[in-house]
Structure formats: structure tokens, C-alpha cells
């Protein structure tokens, strides 16, 4: 809703307006691109009047009679580039939207450039959008995708981290959380565990929220925001947890569809990239065929994905099969109707059949687009599920999943860990390392030095890098 409002020059889109939308250009940086792409498809952008969407730091031609909507982070180089656009008089008018709040000094830089370029009247609006978070599903968002290693677990837990770097990381996290609550139009109750990075984030976020509420000029949580009812008694609870409380779970091999896609395929901002395995043998001496890369969007509009993303993988495979069968039945019906319509000869039977079949044909024609969409989804999930299955088979992921489940639920193990690690057919070195780390984290007392040496030797023989083990040992 917030994005659509921004693309409509920051006024709420009118539901029943019959007029054409105003044609406009959208200019974003990589951050803006990541925020928009999981939510709005190119078609939806076009429906809202966005004819072109371009990256800020690309070579852009002037389009003098079109308004431009900018959606960028308020960084130095972005602002320099915007000032350059003003000087070059690229567009008719400029709507500047910042993903996070822009500082006073940077606003003055833009003002100076506008005065210098004699373009003050063309800068129509400057808005802080507070949209610095990426929404992947109705009830899930992530903080950052560009330079995401800056706010990763590793970044926070590096032994050589300086205080200033830590402050920067915390500020980045707080800024995103703050943006989320502004967009939600609600002030949370914050809970966190003491003495961890989570507490630092909580204290900073608390301070930022209070400052904004005290400032009389500031209307982020009052007045005309998207969420009404800010001061109702239903305040959301924000629980901040440090990853260190539970390190085993992210290492765990998974068994549900969405988690498997995320674990074994290249899945990023709701889009999965697959290499099609072209197995055709090329003639001797010819260059091998290049593998085609295909990418698919797995979004909320994909009904199959919505229904099955949390299902165990075997169920998903079965459901794809069922969908395919029901589709084939419908497809045969359409083919049959088509052949009936090519009526030969003028016998009475054909004419009487025609009147019966008109009704049938009408319904077939109306259900055709639906059928084609169904076919597209079936193909998509057949390809994705096949790719996942190849990984499961080649790496014996089902065995890993079951074994880790047993370790984590402290039940008895049917085969020894050492056998799993030294089995050359089961999994990649990384899979083995993950399995062993889960065992090490979950065991009540650490294995004795003699046992540990034995495991280390097996892991090294399997080609594992022992650095993670040393870290976990120290951590434990």
C-alpha cells in the first residue's frame, strides 16, 4: 500500500477513477529495486503508469516532458547523482522519495544544486518513505539484501570488530525496524534477552521511538499515516532474540518444500534460479551446449506455492502429480470439443450435436486462460521439484534430515555418527560439517578429546574445513 501510494505521487490511489494513470518514470537504486521487486510485477507497475524503471547509476537519456519518481537510499553518491540529474534537466518534475530518513545537511545539498540548476520549481516533493525493509510474504520481512553480510551473524560476532563498526551495524538494524513500525503505524512493546546484541538493538530502537513521539513537529505515528488506530490498546509485541540462543536450527537439513528450495537451490527475494540440465549429447568436437538459466517467481499469487510451501517434500511431489492429472483431463475435454467443431458432412446428427456442444464450448473457451495459467504453474513446480529431488538423491538429504531430527530431539540413534561422516556417498563436505556441528551443539557434554580427534580425522578425510568446528568449540 505504501509503495502504491508513493508511485501515485504520495496520494492514496483512487479506487474507481476511470482516467488513464499519469505516465511517469521510476528511478531506483539497488536497495529500492530489492524492496519493489518481490511486491510489484512489471505489469502492475505499468498499470500504475510506470513506463520505464531505471537504475539511478546507469546512463539515462533525458525525457523532458515526464515526471520522475526517485526511490533511493540517502547516501552521498546517490545524492550527488540526483544533483547531477537536476543540472542536466533530465525530467519535467522530480518526486524525491528516500527509503530511510534523509539528514538536514544532505537536504541542503539538494537544495543548493536545485538553485544552481534553476530547477527549484521542478522538485515537486521530497518524502521520507520509511520503507527500509524487504517484504517477502504477508507476514515475513527481511532487513537488508544489498551488502547483507554487513548485518549478518558473522559480522556481529567477529572477534576483531571495533566499537564503531558495531554501532553502524546496530544503527542499520534499528533503522530498518523503525521503518517497519512507521509503515505499520504502531508502537511496539519491546522484549529482549539481556547482555546480548539484541539488547543493544532494543535500547536504540526504544530511544528512537521515544524521540519521535516527543518531537511535536513529527507526525509519523499520528495524523495521516497508513495504519489508523495508532493509540489503540492493541500494541504489537516485538521480541528480539539473539541467534546464539539456538545455533543448531539454521544448520539443520530441512524437509519442507520452501525450506528445501531455500537450502539447496539459488533462491533469493522470492525468485529461484535454475540451471536447466541439457543432457543432449553434442556431436564430437562441437562445443558443449550452454546450460540455460531459468528463473521463476514463487509469490503469493502462486496458489500451489501458497498451499504447499510448508508441506513435507514427498507430499509436494504427489500434489504436482495430481495437478498434472487433473489438468490433462481438462485438456482432453478441450481437444475433444475442438475436433467436434470441425464438422464434416451435412448429416442431421452433426447439427443436433452442434447445439448441445455450443454450451460446452463456451465454458471451455472461458476456462482456457485459467487452464493455461494452471499449466504454467504445473511446469514451474515440476521443474523446481525435480531440481530439489536431484539434490536430495545425490546428497542423501532425507537421511541427514532424519538423523539430525533424532539428535535434536535426543532420541536414540540407529547408526553411529562416524559411519555417517565417513560414508563417501552421503552428502557434500559441508553437509557433513553441518551434521557434526548440530551434534556438537546439541550434546549435553562435549565429546572427549579422544573421540573428538577421531571425528576430526574423519571430517578432514571427507574434505571438510575445520574452521567452523574451532569456532563452535570456543563458542560452547
Amino acid at each position: 500500500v505504501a509503495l502504491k501510494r508513493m508511485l501515485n505521487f504520495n496520494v492514496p490511489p483512487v479506487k474507481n477513477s476511470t482516467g488513464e494513470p499519469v505516465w511517469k518514470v521510476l528511478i531506483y537504486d539497488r536497495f529500492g529495486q530489492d524492496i519493489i521487486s518481490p511486491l510489484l510485477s512489471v505489469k502492475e507497475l505499468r498499470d500504475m503508469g510506470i513506463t520505464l524503471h531505471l537504475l539511478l547509476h546507469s546512463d539515462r537519456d533525458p525525457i523532458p516532458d515526464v515526471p520522475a519518481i526517485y526511490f533511493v537510499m540517502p547516501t552521498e553518491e546517490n545524492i550527488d547523482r540526483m544533483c547531477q540529474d537536476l543540472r542536466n534537466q533530465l525530467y519535467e518534475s522530480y518526486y524525491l522519495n528516500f527509503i530511510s530518513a534523509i539528514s538536514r545537511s544532505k537536504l541542503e545539498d539538494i537544495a543548493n544544486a536545485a538553485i544552481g540548476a534553476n530547477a527549484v520549481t521542478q522538485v515537486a516533493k521530497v518524502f521520507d518513505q520509511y520503507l527500509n525493509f524487504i517484504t517477502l510474504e504477508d507476514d515475513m520481512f527481511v532487513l537488508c539484501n544489498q551488502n547483507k553480510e554487513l548485518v549478518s551473524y558473522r559480522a556481529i560476532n567477529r572477534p576483531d570488530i571495533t566499537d564503531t563498526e558495531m554501532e553502524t551495524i546496530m544503527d542499520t538494524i534499528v533503522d530498518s525496524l523503525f521503518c517497519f513500525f512507521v509503515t505499520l503505524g504502531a508502537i511496539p512493546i519491546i522484549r529482549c534477552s539481556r547482555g546480548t546484541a539484541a539488547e543493544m538493538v532494543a535500547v536504540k530502537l526504544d530511544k528512537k521511538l521515544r524521540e519521535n513521539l516527543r518531537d511535536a513537529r513529527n507526525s509519523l505515528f499520528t495524523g495521516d499515516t497508513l495504519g489508523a488506530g495508532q493509540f489503540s490498546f492493541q500494541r504489537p509485541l516485538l521480541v528480539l532474540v539473539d541467534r546464539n540462543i539456538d545455533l543448531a536450527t539454521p544448520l539443520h537439513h530441512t524437509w519442507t518444500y520452501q525450506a528445501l528450495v531455500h537450502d539447496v537451490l539459488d533462491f533469493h527475494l522470492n525468485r529461484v534460479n535454475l540451471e536447466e540440465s541439457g543432457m543432449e549429447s553434442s556431436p564430437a568436437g562441437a562445443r558443449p551446449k550452454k546450460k540455460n538459466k531459468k528463473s521463476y517467481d514463487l509469490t503469493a499469487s502462486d496458489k500451489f506455492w501458497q498451499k504447499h510451501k510448508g508441506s513435507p517434500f514427498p507430499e509436494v511431489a504427489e500434489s504436482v502429480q495430481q495437478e498434472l492429472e487433473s489438468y490433462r483431463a481438462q485438456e482432453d475435454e478441450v481437444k475433444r470439443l475442438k475436433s467436434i467443431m470441425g464438422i464434416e458432412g451435412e448429416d442431421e446428427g452433426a447439427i443436433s450435436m452442434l447445439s448441445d456442444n455450443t454450451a460446452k464450448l463456451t465454458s471451455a473457451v472461458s476456462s482456457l486462460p485459467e487452464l493455461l495459467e494452471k499449466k504454467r504453474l504445473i511446469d514451474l513446480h515440476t521443474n523446481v521439484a525435480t531440481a530439489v529431488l536431484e539434490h536430495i538423491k545425490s546428497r542423501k538429504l532425507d537421511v541427514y534430515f532424519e538423523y539430525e531430527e533424532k539428535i535434536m530431539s535426543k532420541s536414540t540413534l540407529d547408526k553411529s555418527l562416524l559411519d555417517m561422516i565417513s560414508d563417501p556417498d552421503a552428502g557434500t563436505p559441508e553437509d557433513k560439517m553441518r551434521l557434526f556441528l548440530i551434534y556438537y551443539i546439541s550434546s549435553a557434554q562435549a565429546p572427549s578429546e579422544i573421540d573428538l580427534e577421531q571425528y576430526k580425522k574423519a571430517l578432514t578425510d571427507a574434505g571438510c574445513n575445520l574452521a567452523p568446528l574451532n569456532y563452535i568449540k570456543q563458542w560452547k
Side-chain angles (χ1 to χ4, degrees):
V1 172
L3 282 174
K4 285 184 169 167
R5 181 171 163 156
M6 175 187 86
L7 296 176
N8 201 34
F9 304 120
N10 291 304
V11 283
V14 189
K15 281 277 170 5
N16 48 11
S17 62
T18 47
E20 281 280 289
V22 182
W23 299 114
K24 46 204 177 257
V25 186
L26 171 64
I27 313 261
Y28 45 43
D29 60 0
R30 292 259 177 236
F31 289 94
Q33 186 181 27
D34 286 344
I35 293 169
I36 292 174
S37 68
L39 294 173
L40 297 171
S41 64
V42 176
K43 180 186 174 302
E44 286 171 292
L45 288 176
R46 199 170 300 127
D47 292 344
M48 298 184 64
I50 304 287
T51 46
L52 270 181
H53 39 94
L54 306 161
L55 280 166
L56 177 66
H57 295 283
S58 57
D59 295 328
R60 290 172 281 119
D61 299 323
I63 311 177
D65 47 358
V66 174
I69 293 180
Y70 285 75
F71 184 50
V72 296
M73 281 297 236
T75 58
E76 287 288 332
E77 60 266 90
N78 282 355
I79 285 170
D80 290 348
R81 186 62 192 253
M82 286 158 103
C83 297
Q84 194 183 321
D85 288 357
L86 288 172
R87 285 193 286 274
N88 297 346
Q89 297 187 337
L90 288 187
Y91 308 106
E92 176 194 56
S93 56
Y94 302 84
Y95 292 79
L96 310 181
N97 296 283
F98 295 103
I99 298 174
S100 285
I102 182 173
S103 65
R104 174 85 201 219
S105 61
K106 286 178 180 159
L107 262 180
E108 286 168 4
D109 295 346
I110 296 180
N112 287 333
I115 293 167
N118 205 355
V120 177
T121 49
Q122 293 169 302
V123 179
K125 284 185 181 160
V126 180
F127 263 83
D128 286 333
Q129 285 295 346
Y130 292 103
L131 289 176
N132 188 11
F133 56 95
I134 300 172
T135 307
L136 296 178
E137 290 172 26
D138 286 348
D139 46 13
M140 179 171 100
F141 68 96
V142 293
L143 295 192
C144 119
N145 177 47
Q146 296 297 326
N147 354 350
K148 62 169 177 269
E149 60 282 351
L150 288 183
V151 295
S152 62
Y153 174 86
R154 181 176 172 272
I156 299 174
N157 291 285
R158 288 207 330 261
D160 57 346
I161 188 166
T162 61
D163 284 358
T164 46
E165 285 174 313
M166 193 66 164
E167 287 289 319
T168 315
I169 294 173
M170 294 299 136
D171 288 340
T172 312
I173 295 175
V174 168
D175 181 61
S176 290
L177 289 174
F178 181 73
C179 288
F180 173 72
F181 284 108
V182 173
T183 306
L184 199 63
I187 297 192
I189 296 163
I190 308 175
R191 292 279 176 270
C192 65
S193 47
R194 293 205 174 277
T196 59
E199 188 181 19
M200 278 179 81
V201 173
V203 172
K204 274 181 181 281
L205 182 60
D206 178 71
K207 188 171 160 225
K208 193 160 182 170
L209 287 163
R210 285 177 199 280
E211 280 168 6
N212 276 286
L213 288 171
R214 274 198 209 105
D215 183 352
R217 292 167 308 171
N218 198 324
S219 61
L220 288 182
F221 293 99
T222 56
D224 175 37
T225 47
L226 300 164
Q230 297 79 358
F231 292 107
S232 68
F233 291 103
Q234 250 73 54
R235 285 170 59 192
L237 176 66
L238 171 67
V239 182
L240 292 166
V241 186
D242 196 303
R243 179 79 266 171
N244 277 321
I245 288 174
D246 170 25
L247 260 186
T249 304
L251 299 167
H252 187 19
H253 287 87
T254 51
W255 198 232
T256 55
Y257 189 28
Q258 184 178 23
L260 269 167
V261 170
H262 197 281
D263 191 4
V264 302
L265 302 178
D266 173 15
F267 182 54
H268 204 56
L269 298 186
N270 290 351
R271 168 170 291 185
V272 60
N273 296 313
L274 290 182
E275 280 196 356
E276 288 196 321
S277 43
M279 283 298 166
E280 308 94 58
S281 53
S282 44
R287 277 190 306 195
K289 284 206 173 87
K290 232 172 79 174
K291 284 191 172 178
N292 280 343
K293 282 219 159 171
K294 279 218 143 160
S295 62
Y296 302 110
D297 289 318
L298 299 172
T299 57
S301 56
D302 178 340
K303 292 197 182 67
F304 187 88
W305 179 244
Q306 286 305 76
K307 191 172 161 193
H308 294 291
K309 63 185 181 190
S311 310
F313 189 73
E315 273 177 39
V316 175
E318 227 167 90
S319 306
V320 173
Q321 197 54 40
Q322 283 164 2
E323 291 277 313
L324 193 60
E325 278 157 19
S326 78
Y327 167 76
R328 285 204 176 119
Q330 282 168 294
E331 192 183 37
D332 291 344
E333 176 70 356
V334 174
K335 279 187 185 149
R336 197 174 66 78
L337 288 166
K338 279 186 187 159
S339 68
I340 289 170
M341 290 314 279
I343 296 162
E344 289 94 42
E346 292 292 313
D347 59 352
E348 320 286 78
I351 303 297
S352 66
M353 270 167 74
L354 183 59
S355 54
D356 294 345
N357 281 308
T358 316
K360 279 190 185 167
L361 193 76
T362 318
S363 81
V365 168
S366 63
S367 65
L368 202 62
E370 207 177 291
L371 267 178
L372 292 172
E373 175 59 11
K374 202 168 177 181
K375 175 84 169 79
R376 186 185 75 80
L377 289 182
I378 292 169
D379 289 348
L380 185 163
H381 287 287
T382 308
N383 290 344
V384 174
T386 311
V388 172
L389 187 63
E390 280 170 13
H391 279 277
I392 293 176
K393 279 182 174 163
S394 67
R395 289 160 56 181
K396 295 195 179 171
L397 295 184
D398 46 340
V399 183
Y400 276 96
F401 165 72
E402 282 174 21
Y403 200 83
E404 288 165 9
E405 283 282 274
K406 284 181 183 158
I407 293 177
M408 288 163 85
S409 60
K410 310 264 190 283
S411 34
T412 50
L413 301 173
D414 46 2
K415 65 191 251 193
S416 84
L417 186 62
L418 216 51
D419 292 349
M420 282 284 289
I421 295 172
S422 34
D423 176 358
D425 297 334
T428 59
E430 193 182 63
D431 291 327
K432 296 180 180 186
M433 198 68 213
R434 277 164 64 176
L435 170 70
F436 185 70
L437 290 179
I438 291 176
Y439 165 71
Y440 193 85
I441 292 168
S442 307
S443 57
Q445 70 261 37
S448 67
E449 279 302 312
I450 305 166
D451 290 353
L452 195 59
E453 281 311 312
Q454 211 178 352
Y455 284 128
K456 274 187 175 173
K457 183 177 180 317
L459 286 165
T460 319
D461 292 347
C464 299
N465 171 7
L466 293 183
L469 177 59
N470 300 335
Y471 175 78
I472 293 289
K473 211 167 139 184
Q474 199 177 350
W475 172 84
K476 188 154 180 166

